[in-house]
Amino acid sequence: MPKPGSHNLALKFQQVVDSSPAAAALLCQGQCYDFRTLNALANRFARWLAAQGVTQGSIVCLELPKLVETYALAVACLKIGAPYSFLDPAAPIDRARLMIDRCQPTIIISTRDGAGNRVVLASDADRQNLLEAIEAFDDANLRETEQITGADPAYVMFTSGSTGEPKGAVIPHQGVLHLVEWAADDLGIGPGDRLTNVNPIFFDNSVFDIYAALLNGASVVALDALKGRPPAELIAEITASECTFFFAVPTLFMFLDSMNLLRPDKLPSVRRFMFGGEGFPLARLRRFHETFSGRAELINCYGPTETSCICSSLVITGSTLETAEGFVSLGRLNPGFSHRVLNEDLQPVAIGDVGELWLGGPCVGLGYLNNPEETTWRFRQDPLVKGYRSTLYRTGDLVVQDPRTGQFRFRGRADNQVKLRGYRVELEEIDHALESMPGVVRALAVVIHDANGSRRLLAAYAGSRLEDADLLAHCRHLPAYMVPGRFVWLDNIPTNANGKADRRAVAALIEQSQTMARSPRSADKPVAA
């Protein structure tokens, strides 16, 4: 639980500054900034934002790469109670406009021109001009920071969800404070640690990177794993920065492994690896575990954006890998979370049966920004509580709880559950089946409409190019209606901006290949799954 006197994130940060002002807080673009310096910069930015008309409750959009100004501006927003939203500066203009329209921000600080009250930081000269402008403001802590409560919004994080339309989850201070305390108490993060911020800053995994570090007296190391950047360069930077904790999506770890870079001699300072955001295929995870056994700890974590980043975790051991499941367990829920596992009729399922996970507690977000329809659908009154308000977030994740350990196992997405020939099919189960075959690195099943309008089940895979007959034989343990009718080999499974495997992009690639093989009139249309 959050400690007394730290009822908001800014006060928690100031406590760390007071206790270790000269300790390294941020390593960014070859520079090291201590806590005193970062705090002073944030205080100046906070007063500058106020001079631009930003007040408590105003939205500030930060459409910036990983600069010291970016991190300082986020802390500045926390200090004056103005929720910030990190936006991808490389996102398509139309998508960026949708997110900005949702935010209705008081100010946008961006690397690119556009509409609205916008400060552009497109060059070193722009950055220098801004830094000179804020020199006129006091760098002492602000009195108004005391007035911000744990229930007030801290930031807005956009997530596509199942529809592909960006939704801005509004997350309160108290949710991140619980995350920070869990990082300290369960993961042991504290002074002396250096956490990678490889995750995109506009992706919710970065919330852990930044605040589990800064608010526990550790350092955050700003890194980029951009497409086109030599992966060896990223690994060398992690090692040179002496990072002790490396958090990323499984896709990145598997890519580094395929490049022979995920090895103890390449990452000698890393003592703990954590992964989340998508499943880690079991065969690849076993290899990862064997490679670092006795040298570093591996942690599987789970948590929707809407519940303050992480809600459960599991330390990987030899025994956790002894399973016939496609993925390891999600572990048990962290302190501060309540839950229900409900069926389609919103009734509890028996322990051991599959149902949708609903989450409650102070880490649950405040809804979607300016999106009442989606808020009403996802942030719901606990159907088993009638006498008072009790809000739960329905995750859309299907799980089963182990009656012996209380741990949860993932059973797919409710929105990835499709119906074929009258049967309900979990696409993730097909993914798992293919990924258990030697030579397959990654696989995603998709459903498309063929030229006649019929629904067809196909699967794309990356890794060694295999014979269709061998793939078909490997899938024979699946029910006949779950066996893909076609297998498509790809050099690489496409990923989205957050680095996760992208099922929609796979469907689009398959559809495109089929369009090229026949007249445009009869082109298949991909089904979002």
Side-chain angles (χ1 to χ4, degrees):
M1 294 292 292
K3 294 178 175 60
S6 60
H7 58 268
N8 67 56
L9 294 168
L11 290 179
K12 178 73 172 174
F13 177 70
Q14 289 170 192
Q15 287 180 349
V16 175
V17 174
D18 290 341
S19 65
S20 53
L26 173 66
L27 283 74
C28 183
Q29 295 187 318
Q31 299 293 317
C32 181
Y33 303 88
D34 62 29
F35 278 95
R36 181 192 293 113
T37 301
L38 186 60
N39 187 54
L41 189 59
N43 286 332
R44 286 196 166 105
F45 268 129
R47 291 184 170 90
W48 174 80
L49 286 169
Q52 309 307 307
V54 176
T55 58
Q56 184 170 350
S58 299
I59 305 291
V60 175
C61 285
L62 303 175
E63 196 175 39
L64 299 168
K66 293 174 182 175
L67 309 170
V68 62
E69 294 91 340
T70 308
Y71 295 92
L73 280 161
V75 177
C77 290
L78 298 176
K79 286 172 175 280
I80 58 176
Y84 66 84
S85 182
F86 285 134
L87 304 181
D88 181 3
I93 294 295
D94 288 345
R95 181 174 175 82
R97 188 179 297 115
L98 280 172
M99 292 186 282
I100 289 171
D101 287 347
R102 285 286 188 198
C103 288
Q104 300 175 20
T106 299
I107 190 170
I108 306 162
I109 305 168
S110 176
T111 55
R112 56 187 178 185
D113 294 322
N117 181 18
R118 184 177 292 253
V119 174
V120 178
L121 298 184
S123 66
D124 289 341
D126 291 335
R127 293 175 61 193
Q128 185 59 38
N129 289 339
L130 179 58
L131 290 175
E132 290 174 2
I134 68 169
E135 281 295 323
F137 295 92
D138 189 1
D139 67 357
N141 290 334
L142 292 83
R143 291 182 179 178
E144 51 262 51
T145 301
E146 290 277 354
Q147 306 306 313
I148 302 161
T149 75
D152 287 329
Y155 64 85
V156 178
M157 185 67 69
F158 278 90
T159 177
S160 293
S162 59
T163 65
E165 181 183 346
K167 297 179 295 185
V170 184
I171 305 300
H173 285 252
Q174 63 192 15
V176 186
L177 285 173
H178 277 78
L179 176 73
V180 169
E181 294 299 330
W182 168 76
D185 296 342
D186 282 41
L187 303 182
I189 292 173
D193 273 314
R194 289 190 171 186
L195 278 66
T196 61
N197 181 207
V198 173
N199 294 298
I201 204 164
F202 51 84
F203 176 35
D204 73 324
N205 282 359
S206 68
V207 173
F208 176 89
D209 298 336
I210 296 168
Y211 296 116
L214 293 181
L215 303 193
N216 284 314
S219 309
V220 57
V221 182
L223 300 157
D224 274 312
L226 300 176
K227 292 179 179 178
R229 182 187 188 189
E233 190 178 292
L234 171 65
I235 295 299
E237 192 173 353
I238 290 172
T239 298
S241 302
E242 299 182 323
C243 295
T244 61
F245 198 106
F246 186 178
F247 181 25
V249 293
T251 294
L252 178 59
F253 285 129
M254 289 188 288
F255 173 69
L256 294 175
D257 180 44
S258 70
M259 301 298 290
N260 200 30
L261 294 170
L262 196 61
R263 299 182 352 218
D265 61 315
K266 297 289 186 181
L267 294 162
S269 62
V270 178
R271 299 195 300 270
R272 283 160 293 180
F273 294 90
M274 189 162 76
F275 49 88
E278 60 182 348
F280 206 132
L282 196 61
R284 303 300 299 278
L285 182 55
R286 286 193 181 109
R287 174 185 168 91
F288 190 3
H289 180 259
E290 289 168 3
T291 300
F292 284 89
S293 180
R295 295 173 179 265
E297 188 174 66
L298 273 59
I299 304 160
N300 181 35
C301 70
Y302 161 79
T305 300
E306 293 84 349
T307 60
S308 308
C309 190
I310 295 172
C311 64
S312 74
S313 66
L314 178 76
V315 175
I316 303 301
T317 64
S319 61
T320 60
L321 295 169
E322 294 172 359
T323 175
E325 303 280 347
F327 298 137
V328 295
S329 165
L330 301 177
R332 284 182 289 271
L333 292 180
N334 294 343
F337 282 94
S338 62
H339 77 279
R340 305 281 190 197
V341 182
L342 305 178
N343 61 21
E344 293 178 348
D345 296 323
L346 307 187
Q347 295 300 308
V349 302
I351 292 181
D353 289 348
V354 175
E356 182 181 356
L357 179 63
W358 296 45
L359 293 169
C363 298
V364 170
L366 305 177
Y368 295 117
L369 186 67
N370 294 319
N371 195 338
E373 297 83 6
E374 285 291 334
T375 297
T376 300
W377 173 245
R378 284 292 180 189
F379 295 84
R380 305 277 289 273
Q381 172 69 20
D382 183 343
L384 305 184
V385 173
K386 305 300 182 187
Y388 55 89
R389 183 181 178 187
S390 178
T391 302
L392 301 179
Y393 171 69
R394 60 180 309 175
T395 66
D397 291 327
L398 303 175
V399 299
V400 60
Q401 188 172 21
D402 189 304
R404 296 179 300 103
T405 65
Q407 295 180 3
F408 290 95
R409 286 193 174 277
F410 182 65
R411 286 291 183 268
R413 287 284 303 170
D415 48 26
N416 277 346
Q417 190 180 74
V418 298
K419 207 163 188 180
L420 287 171
R421 299 188 293 279
Y423 296 100
R424 289 190 181 276
V425 174
E426 299 288 351
L427 296 179
E428 284 91 350
E429 188 174 349
I430 302 167
D431 302 344
H432 302 167
L434 285 168
E435 287 167 348
S436 68
M437 184 172 184
V440 174
V441 173
R442 199 70 162 149
L444 287 181
V446 296
V447 175
I448 66 170
H449 285 111
D450 64 18
N452 299 317
S454 300
R455 290 159 65 83
R456 295 181 60 205
L457 177 63
L458 296 87
Y461 70 97
S464 302
R465 195 159 193 166
L466 305 170
E467 295 293 332
D468 284 3
D470 294 333
L471 289 163
L472 195 61
H474 185 75
C475 291
R476 288 302 184 194
H477 68 283
L478 294 172
Y481 58 85
M482 291 181 65
V483 176
R486 181 184 168 207
F487 301 95
V488 179
W489 177 82
L490 300 174
D491 282 322
N492 292 291
I493 293 293
T495 58
N496 60 21
N498 296 337
K500 299 181 186 180
D502 191 334
R503 201 179 299 273
R504 288 189 192 87
V506 166
L509 281 173
I510 293 174
E511 190 275 339
Q512 184 181 28
S513 69
Q514 293 196 354
T515 299
M516 294 173 63
R518 60 174 187 268
S519 67
R521 260 186 330 140
S522 58
D524 286 351
K525 296 180 181 179
V527 174

